[in-house]
Amino acid sequence: MDKQDFYTKSPVRLFDEATGGLKAGEIGLVTSKKGLGKTSVLVQFGMDTLLEGKQLVHVTFDLHSSNVISWYDGIFNELAKKRNVGNESELKDDIVRNRTILNFSLDNFSVTKVVSTLKALKAGGIEVAGLVMDGIDFTKVSEDDVKAVADYAKAENVKVWTASTAEGTKLADSVPANLEKYFAAVLHLASDGSAVAVNVLKMHDKKDVAASLKLDSKTLLLSKN
């Protein structure tokens, strides 16, 4: 089994089929209360870029790089289960060689610094196709910050997924009204009995899309209800 087989059978295909998916040059947002699986969803979207053989940058603010690597290893291992992968170690190495992890401290974080670093990577020959930014705090970023990321995504044709903590289940609870326009997709994870429902609050021009998606309780992979 090669990367293309993994890509075709990735849980993200379920998301794409249900919603139309996020396009290059757009930003998607995943929200939830703490501990419900935001990082798992972000890593699945990030892994999807890697499975296409494209360059991914994962920016983290509250996790050490080793923890981020563990998340990718865990998702890869779950994807590899029940599949005939004879060259698992070689395949994993081939996938992650296109991954760059950037760790920023919240104490000296600035979106401008992140965007500048991404532009420097391009100048150094790394053509970033996917960007994951974990742990955005909307109380500490301005509209100019979000616009800077949106402008970067559009100009460089980069697909961006980010996440933040939100207690409420409505779109207005997940993203401030003045920032909503910058996000093509907004997902909210909510506990639904023994499962975690993936609620699509916004997908392009549609609101509250009935996608019938959840996180598998054992693997935290995207799955159908």
Side-chain angles (χ1 to χ4, degrees):
M1 179 171 285
D2 58 19
K3 284 187 295 187
Q4 183 58 44
D5 295 318
F6 266 65
Y7 178 79
T8 301
K9 297 177 181 178
S10 165
V12 178
R13 301 287 75 74
L14 298 176
F15 173 78
D16 290 347
E17 291 168 7
T19 67
L22 195 70
K23 298 177 177 61
E26 296 180 334
I27 307 178
L29 173 68
V30 183
T31 71
S32 78
K33 295 179 180 180
K34 290 184 178 180
L36 282 186
K38 293 189 298 295
T39 299
S40 174
V41 174
L42 288 182
V43 169
Q44 288 175 71
F45 285 131
M47 181 68 79
D48 211 54
T49 296
L50 296 173
L51 291 174
E52 286 190 281
K54 297 179 179 179
Q55 294 281 350
L56 172 78
V57 172
H58 187 118
V59 176
T60 182
F61 309 104
D62 56 2
L63 290 176
H64 291 295
S65 296
S66 59
N67 291 336
V68 175
I69 291 171
S70 293
W71 270 105
Y72 279 91
D73 286 347
I75 293 298
F76 176 87
N77 291 338
E78 291 297 339
L79 294 175
K81 286 180 180 178
K82 299 181 180 180
R83 292 181 172 91
N84 184 20
V85 185
N87 56 340
E88 185 171 324
S89 179
E90 181 182 336
L91 179 58
K92 183 188 291 186
D93 289 343
D94 183 42
I95 290 170
V96 301
R97 69 163 53 102
N98 286 329
R99 180 191 64 202
T100 300
I101 299 173
L102 302 178
N103 196 312
F104 288 86
S105 168
L106 284 173
D107 294 333
N108 59 12
F109 162 73
S110 75
V111 171
T112 301
K113 184 183 295 186
V114 173
V115 173
S116 296
T117 302
L118 292 168
K119 290 180 178 178
L121 289 175
K122 181 180 180 181
I126 297 178
E127 292 289 340
V128 179
L131 170 64
V132 170
M133 298 177 68
D134 201 353
I136 288 293
D137 184 347
F138 283 121
T139 67
K140 296 181 180 179
V141 297
S142 66
E143 182 170 352
D144 287 343
D145 290 328
V146 178
K147 184 178 183 300
V149 176
D151 289 345
Y152 164 79
K154 185 175 181 180
E156 302 297 337
N157 208 35
V158 173
K159 185 184 296 186
V160 180
W161 280 101
T162 185
S164 67
T165 300
E167 295 292 325
T169 60
K170 297 180 180 179
L171 181 59
D173 300 321
S174 288
V175 58
N178 65 314
L179 303 181
E180 181 198 321
K181 61 187 176 184
Y182 297 105
F183 295 94
V186 179
L187 315 181
H188 182 74
L189 311 181
S191 179
D192 183 15
S194 60
V196 174
V198 180
N199 299 316
V200 183
L201 305 182
K202 176 182 178 182
M203 196 70 203
H204 298 117
D205 60 343
K206 297 180 180 179
K207 304 289 178 67
D208 296 319
V209 178
S212 297
L213 296 171
K214 67 176 182 179
L215 295 187
D216 183 278
S217 59
K218 293 184 179 179
T219 66
L220 292 182
L221 296 178
L222 291 162
S223 61
K224 289 185 177 180
N225 276 331

